[in-house]
Amino acid sequence: MDGLEGSPVGVQVPLYQAKAEFFRMLGHPVRIRVLELLADGPTPVRQLLAAIEVEPSNLSQQLAVLRRSGIVTATRDGSTVVYALAGGDVAELMRAARRILTEMLTGREELLAELREAEASSALPQ
Amino acid sequence: MDGLEGSPVGVQVPLYQAKAEFFRMLGHPVRIRVLELLADGPTPVRQLLAAIEVEPSNLSQQLAVLRRSGIVTATRDGSTVVYALAGGDVAELMRAARRILTEMLTGREELLAELREAEASSALPQ
DNA sequence: GCTGAAATTGAAGAACTTTGCAAGTGTACT
DNA sequence: AGTACACTTGCAAAGTTCTTCAATTTCAGC
């Protein structure tokens, strides 16, 4: 876990490792849903909890991961805590991901259609 | 691992889970480097191996993850195997990630500067 | 057919992440 | 002060992923 935040300022982490940590931090269904909800504006935990089927303590852990990575901020307002995206076009990233994902799944269906039609043998790995 | 490929055709996985699996598949330094190398065109394993400091069998494992997810394809040419991006603008995704990453790190430095200046107490979580 | 090089696979153990529960902190209300 | 609510934290068990080793497959050249 913990990726980005662990690095003291000035200690250089190779960029490809920072990227890997960034993507790993995105790699959890609850965290994805939180980011998508936050894309529509700052949201109190209570509301996230209502929208996502998950135990409060589990949500808190996932929020902690997002917070530590720096992609979201938390501010306390009375007894509720409000989360918001720290900046950046997270929505754009999600769009890019969706495009690739769609393409990948489409490619897959085409491949399967081909395979269904001609039960031929070929010489490719796997 | 295995995410996307495990799903029989027609069994619907919630989109946020497919996204999480997709990002998790990107979440490894060796896999990121492979994708970045492949962004410059199809590349034989031998060349990947020369460019990335990693054991052959470890690289193979990571290539298998990428292959199973469908983001790359492998074709055999004589005794060498050549990998290529399966489609999609992976480069665009990486650019989006880099933008956010940069912003996050910049935000962090600003925050730290602020903290250094005024050692004030506040009431935020963490 | 052997031998060697290129790449993959399988399996075992270490390392990491996720989950849920119980306990803790902070704020608001009476 | 005491109770209730909103969240967070610590921790152990369960689950997943990573790394490495040895074994295997596939092809090319002899």
Side-chain angles (χ1 to χ4, degrees):
Chain A
M1 188 131 305
D2 252 20
L4 298 163
E5 69 134 9
S7 358
V9 179
V11 173
Q12 261 270 80
V13 171
L15 187 54
Y16 56 85
Q17 192 176 325
K19 275 188 200 162
E21 278 163 10
F22 175 72
F23 285 125
R24 198 182 312 153
M25 162 297 257
L26 296 173
H28 189 287
V30 169
R31 299 196 294 259
I32 292 285
R33 294 191 85 191
V34 167
L35 292 177
E36 288 183 338
L37 291 165
L38 295 186
D40 296 347
T43 312
V45 173
R46 209 165 355 80
Q47 217 170 124
L48 297 172
L49 209 39
I52 308 175
E53 249 313 336
V54 74
E55 297 270 332
S57 76
N58 193 344
L59 180 60
S60 255
Q61 301 279 213
Q62 305 314 325
L63 289 172
V65 172
L66 294 174
R67 223 161 57 231
R68 267 178 260 145
S69 85
I71 203 174
V72 305
T73 57
T75 51
R76 179 150 224 152
D77 176 14
S79 68
T80 84
V81 175
V82 176
Y83 279 82
L85 293 181
D89 209 343
V90 169
E92 192 209 342
L93 182 78
M94 294 292 164
R95 255 178 275 124
R98 176 137 74 239
R99 267 197 295 281
I100 295 182
L101 217 42
T102 309
E103 243 186 87
M104 274 165 47
L105 293 172
T106 318
R108 191 167 299 271
E109 267 154 38
E110 275 157 17
L111 181 71
L112 286 165
E114 269 170 28
L115 287 175
R116 254 182 258 110
E117 261 186 88
E119 211 84 35
S121 58
S122 90
L124 291 190
Q126 194 176 130
Chain B
M1 185 122 306
D2 250 19
L4 296 163
E5 69 135 8
S7 0
V9 179
V11 173
Q12 261 269 79
V13 170
L15 186 55
Y16 56 84
Q17 192 177 324
K19 276 187 198 161
E21 278 164 10
F22 175 72
F23 285 125
R24 200 181 311 152
M25 159 303 253
L26 295 174
H28 189 288
V30 168
R31 297 195 296 258
I32 293 284
R33 295 192 84 190
V34 167
L35 292 177
E36 289 183 338
L37 290 165
L38 295 187
D40 295 347
T43 312
V45 173
R46 209 165 355 79
Q47 219 170 123
L48 297 173
L49 209 38
I52 307 175
E53 248 313 335
V54 74
E55 297 268 333
S57 75
N58 194 345
L59 180 60
S60 255
Q61 298 282 333
Q62 305 313 326
L63 289 172
V65 172
L66 295 173
R67 224 161 57 230
R68 269 179 259 145
S69 84
I71 203 175
V72 305
T73 57
T75 50
R76 180 148 225 152
D77 176 15
S79 68
T80 86
V81 175
V82 176
Y83 279 81
L85 294 182
D89 208 342
V90 169
E92 193 210 342
L93 182 78
M94 295 292 165
R95 254 178 276 124
R98 176 138 72 239
R99 266 197 295 280
I100 294 183
L101 217 42
T102 310
E103 244 186 85
M104 275 166 46
L105 293 172
T106 319
R108 190 169 298 271
E109 268 153 36
E110 275 157 19
L111 181 71
L112 286 165
E114 268 168 29
L115 287 175
R116 253 181 259 110
E117 261 184 270
E119 210 86 33
S121 57
S122 91
L124 291 191
Q126 197 173 126

